[in-house]
Amino acid sequence: MKTIKALFLSSLAVFMAASPAAAGDCEVCIKVLDEVRGTLSKKEQKDKPSIESAMGTYCKRTDLGPRERKICYYIDPIKRDVAHPFSLGMPTKKVCERITKTNPEICSVKFPVQTEKMEKKDLNKLRVKQLKSILADRGVECKGCVEKNEFIKKVQDTEHLANVEL
């Protein structure tokens, strides 16, 4: 009996660790839904049509960044699926995790890593995958880079290529 219980608990821990939205995921989705929630009154937060119209109004704004527009593109066809848990008062992170089951790309949209004035010790904290994405954003390929230190050096060498989003 103890063996079954231990097996169950360990499989539960593995399942929880493999959830679709890990730490740091869904950051753009959470930001968008928090801003939509901020435009609604308490009464409107319970009304699905009001939530859907608020999402439409938010997504029609011209001052949205490219990542926010991408989330709007993903959320537009599933507004009703978003509005239902939203109207029940579910936390924004949970809403994003739930709609990720419908469209896995929603939580894959992330803000770029800020690299301006980063020192080597700060770059050492980043994963190689993040360093590669920084280089890809700059249009640089690190041929022959194998070690993390090589990627860090390439990121530092291409600092002048960093694009600043407005």
Side-chain angles (χ1 to χ4, degrees):
M1 185 67 183
K2 288 183 180 182
T3 310
I4 294 172
K5 188 175 181 180
L7 182 63
F8 174 74
L9 290 176
S10 64
S11 63
L12 182 65
V14 168
F15 176 73
M16 297 286 279
S19 67
D25 282 352
C26 300
E27 57 191 11
V28 181
C29 176
I30 291 169
K31 177 186 180 273
V32 168
L33 292 183
D34 279 343
E35 288 182 3
V36 169
R37 183 170 277 161
T39 63
L40 297 169
S41 68
K42 289 282 185 190
K43 185 178 180 184
E44 291 174 326
Q45 287 183 14
K46 305 281 185 204
D47 186 38
K48 292 178 194 173
S50 296
I51 295 168
E52 291 175 26
S53 69
M55 281 190 267
T57 304
Y58 176 84
C59 291
K60 288 178 184 168
R61 290 178 26 192
T62 58
D63 63 334
L64 295 178
R67 285 154 186 86
E68 289 87 352
R69 285 195 305 267
K70 193 170 196 176
I71 290 295
C72 285
Y73 174 79
Y74 290 143
I75 287 179
D76 190 48
I78 57 171
K79 282 183 187 174
R80 182 62 54 140
D81 295 336
V82 177
H84 178 69
F86 204 86
S87 68
L88 298 174
M90 186 179 282
T92 312
K93 183 168 175 42
K94 289 286 189 187
V95 174
C96 289
E97 289 173 0
R98 179 175 280 188
I99 61 176
T100 296
K101 294 174 185 170
T102 307
N103 188 348
E105 284 116 14
I106 290 174
C107 278
S108 68
V109 180
K110 294 182 171 69
F111 289 113
V113 178
Q114 298 296 323
T115 59
E116 298 141 13
K117 300 177 184 172
M118 280 187 108
E119 295 180 19
K120 186 170 180 171
K121 65 179 181 175
D122 296 328
L123 290 172
N124 271 330
K125 295 177 184 176
L126 298 177
R127 295 174 178 237
V128 173
K129 183 177 182 179
Q130 292 171 312
L131 294 169
K132 285 181 181 179
S133 74
I134 291 169
L135 292 172
D137 289 343
R138 295 179 182 174
V140 177
E141 192 174 328
C142 192
K143 292 189 180 210
C145 294
V146 179
E147 298 293 324
K148 184 175 181 177
N149 288 332
E150 295 168 339
F151 285 102
I152 292 171
K153 180 160 178 22
K154 191 72 163 182
V155 167
Q156 288 174 329
D157 292 344
T158 60
E159 184 71 36
H160 64 283
L161 298 174
N163 291 338
V164 178
E165 279 190 59
L166 299 175

